[in-house]
Amino acid sequence: MAEAVHPEAHGHAEHESTGVDSRKLGMWLFLSSEFLFFGALITNYLLYSNRTGFNIYPREVYDIPFTSVSSFVLLMSSLTMVLAHNAVASDDQPQARTWLFATAALGSVFLAGQVFEFTEFIVHYDMKLTTNPVASAFYVLTGFHGLHVAIGVFMLLSLWGISRFKGRLSEEKGMNVEMVGLYWHFVDIIWIVIFTVVYLIDAARV
């Protein structure tokens, strides 16, 4: 009699009721909650930005060309993330390391741009976290997104280190490229929404 093969034997522990890899299901559930979280932060910003009487509004100090370039850099990191995943699927470890590092580097450039932007707002326009509610809503929203990017960069560099010092990345167990890729694409999608709604549409009201 043939011995039953359990999903765990292949490193893919499937959820009993869905037949989906439990790690992937968990990641999708986590990202769904994150969509709701950022949706609440964006709504909060829009509510305050529509109020009158504040001494300064973020839309009055935006540098749209600069933020557009920064956004393009982050979006390009989604392409390098796809290339990294494809390299791992082809078991091309050197290429995987290259694209993982490139993705982390692009994310770091975006973060540097965000720090520069915040510094400009504070130093030249005196728009601080505590200036007024709409400024607070802006910094909390974009700051939390920046934190998510920083976490993603850390995970990417961890994967790069695993490949560099342990020889190869595996899709069978542990923190793998597909899971980190899902998270990274989520970060990019959220930024598209933030840039469109909070920067472009809101700036058009000036």
Side-chain angles (χ1 to χ4, degrees):
M1 181 176 178
E3 182 180 355
V5 178
H6 295 282
E8 290 84 349
H10 298 284
H12 293 280
E14 295 184 350
H15 191 275
E16 292 182 1
S17 61
T18 64
V20 178
D21 188 320
S22 295
R23 294 169 303 161
K24 187 178 293 187
L25 178 62
M27 178 59 77
W28 279 115
L29 291 174
F30 167 72
L31 295 181
S32 297
S33 67
E34 288 288 276
F35 270 115
L36 295 176
F37 173 73
F38 275 102
L41 291 180
I42 292 172
T43 300
N44 181 60
Y45 172 80
L46 293 176
L47 288 174
Y48 279 117
S49 68
N50 285 323
R51 293 187 181 182
T52 58
F54 297 132
N55 56 323
I56 189 170
Y57 290 80
R59 60 175 172 265
E60 297 173 350
V61 299
Y62 288 151
D63 185 346
I64 296 299
F66 176 82
T67 310
S68 297
V69 172
S70 182
S71 300
F72 178 77
V73 168
L74 187 63
L75 293 181
M76 285 300 98
S77 71
S78 272
L79 173 60
T80 57
M81 187 70 245
V82 170
L83 294 172
H85 182 260
N86 289 341
V88 171
S90 302
D91 200 25
D92 187 344
Q93 297 297 315
Q95 281 294 312
R97 286 195 294 272
T98 298
W99 294 121
L100 284 171
F101 190 83
T103 306
L106 290 171
S108 298
V109 171
F110 173 82
L111 288 174
Q114 190 171 57
V115 170
F116 175 80
E117 180 182 54
F118 287 179
T119 302
E120 287 289 297
F121 291 168
I122 294 170
V123 174
H124 294 288
Y125 300 100
D126 198 32
M127 190 182 79
K128 303 175 183 177
L129 178 66
T130 56
T131 296
N132 55 47
V134 68
S136 297
F138 169 78
Y139 282 122
V140 169
L141 169 61
T142 54
F144 265 109
H145 179 268
L147 176 62
H148 281 69
V149 175
I151 292 172
V153 169
F154 173 78
M155 292 192 293
L156 288 164
L157 292 177
S158 297
L159 288 173
W160 178 86
I162 291 171
S163 178
R164 177 68 177 80
F165 299 107
K166 291 190 176 182
R168 71 185 299 273
L169 294 168
S170 172
E171 288 290 285
E172 298 300 318
K173 59 183 179 180
M175 183 178 68
N176 60 39
V177 175
E178 184 179 7
M179 296 298 104
V180 175
L182 286 173
Y183 175 87
W184 193 257
H185 294 314
F186 158 80
V187 167
D188 284 2
I189 291 171
I190 287 296
W191 182 251
I192 291 174
V193 176
I194 292 174
F195 181 63
T196 302
V197 175
V198 174
Y199 282 82
L200 297 181
I201 295 178
D202 201 35
R205 298 166 55 191
V206 175

